[in-house]
Amino acid sequence: MPVRVGVQVKPQHADFDGMRRAWREADELGADTVFCWDHFYPLDGDPAGKHFEALTTMASMAEVTERAQIGALVMCNSYRNPELLADAHRTVDHISGGRVILGIGAGWFQKDYDEYGYEFGDMPARLRALRASLPRIRERLGKLNPPPVGDMPILIGGSGPKVTLRLVAQHADMWNSFGDAEDFRARNDILLGHCADIGRDPSEIERTWGMNSNTLEHADELVEAGVQHLIVAISGDGKGYDLGALRELLAWRDRINT
């Protein structure tokens, strides 16, 4: 399959108009995917800086883009009832004309939990909750009237070898993590083992990979290792976003896909 390229427009340190301009520009440039994330506070820079919520952000993203798939890298399973999460994504899918990806993970940023009154617990408990939620999400998507417009792939973020990657093998259409090519190979080998254990065709799962810097320096190596979809993350710079790294990655994509 052709290599795909996306961008995560971090909803931090920018005005909402700046985010809107970045989504629209990324879509016009030809990005295959445009993502936000699901946090309540910035993860870097000023911890009290500007920040926006994910689901409402996605609804706006759906209105101002036309061709790119959209979603979050990733929704935190702890913050919303799984049936509500499925329904909200179905609704945004209709706004977008069938372009939504439902990204989800177990959650990890304790400040979000503490400030918004969620029980942080420990990682095993959050993973058990994610395991319980994934079938409920699928079931609710099958009950909704009208159903999603598109296929609405489920993307699972994370790389825990025993639980998360097994959940990817069981439930995901897309898998997202980050690191270098060796990290990918090691984690992908574990995923292949889980797929073999349960009889899942691993080619049904798109391998997506997050990149923050030195984008082109590692792109060829990652694709050679088996990554199919590279996603560069960019943060706000006060009001807007610099999409220079995305432009470079898109030009690289177009070269290697010809």
Side-chain angles (χ1 to χ4, degrees), residues 11 36-40 52-59 72 75 80:
C36 60
W37 69 21
D38 189 23
H39 294 287
F40 303 130
F52 295 96
E53 189 272 337
L55 269 176
T56 43
T57 291
M58 276 182 56
M75 290 289 171
R80 301 166 191 87

Side-chain angles (χ1 to χ4, degrees), residues 137-209:
I137 288 170
R138 287 282 193 192
E139 182 179 5
R140 180 55 53 185
L141 288 173
K143 291 179 177 179
L144 292 169
N145 183 18
V149 178
D151 294 333
M152 194 181 293
I154 290 179
L155 178 154
I156 296 177
S159 58
K162 293 182 179 180
V163 180
T164 304
L165 289 178
R166 188 168 184 85
L167 292 175
V168 171
Q170 291 171 326
H171 298 286
D173 304 295
M174 304 170 74
W175 165 51
N176 181 260
S177 191
F178 57 89
D180 60 24
E182 285 305 309
D183 292 325
F184 173 80
R185 290 188 185 96
R187 296 168 190 176
N188 190 57
D189 284 344
I190 296 168
L191 176 60
L192 292 174
H194 287 309
C195 287
D197 288 344
I198 67 172
R200 176 86 187 273
D201 181 355
S203 69
E204 296 174 354
I205 304 167
E206 184 178 6
R207 275 67 160 180
T208 80
W209 210 247

Side-chain angles (χ1 to χ4, degrees), residues 40-132:
F40 303 130
Y41 295 93
L43 297 188
D44 50 62
D46 180 0
K50 298 173 184 176
H51 199 279
F52 295 96
E53 189 272 337
L55 269 176
T56 43
T57 291
M58 276 182 56
S60 179
M61 190 186 301
E63 287 282 10
V64 303
T65 57
E66 295 182 357
R67 58 168 303 278
Q69 287 183 285
I70 63 169
L73 285 178
V74 287
M75 290 289 171
C76 176
N77 178 62
S78 305
Y79 300 161
R80 301 166 191 87
N81 168 283
E83 283 78 13
L84 170 63
L85 191 67
D87 198 344
H89 276 76
R90 180 282 307 256
T91 300
V92 178
D93 194 54
H94 278 261
I95 298 170
S96 72
R99 295 182 287 114
V100 163
I101 296 167
L102 198 162
I104 192 167
W108 63 272
F109 189 42
Q110 186 168 354
K111 181 178 179 179
D112 283 348
Y113 286 77
D114 292 346
E115 292 283 349
Y116 277 66
Y118 295 102
E119 179 65 34
F120 186 61
D122 57 21
M123 180 54 75
R126 295 195 298 277
L127 286 168
R128 286 194 296 271
L130 178 61
R131 182 192 293 121

Side-chain angles (χ1 to χ4, degrees), residues 5-14 18-27 29 31 33-37 43-44 51 73 210-215 231-250:
V5 162
V7 61
Q8 182 188 48
V9 179
K10 300 178 183 179
Q12 62 175 19
H13 307 310
M19 289 197 302
R20 187 183 290 113
R21 288 193 300 272
W23 307 329
R24 186 180 291 117
E25 183 178 358
D27 191 53
L29 286 170
T33 50
V34 181
F35 295 95
C36 60
W37 69 21
L43 297 188
D44 50 62
H51 199 279
L73 285 178
M211 310 178 76
N212 282 315
S213 59
N214 301 322
T215 306
I231 302 166
V232 60
I234 57 172
S235 186
D237 58 10
K239 289 190 176 181
Y241 294 80
D242 181 356
L243 298 187
L246 174 63
R247 290 189 183 89
E248 292 182 358
L249 198 58
L250 289 169

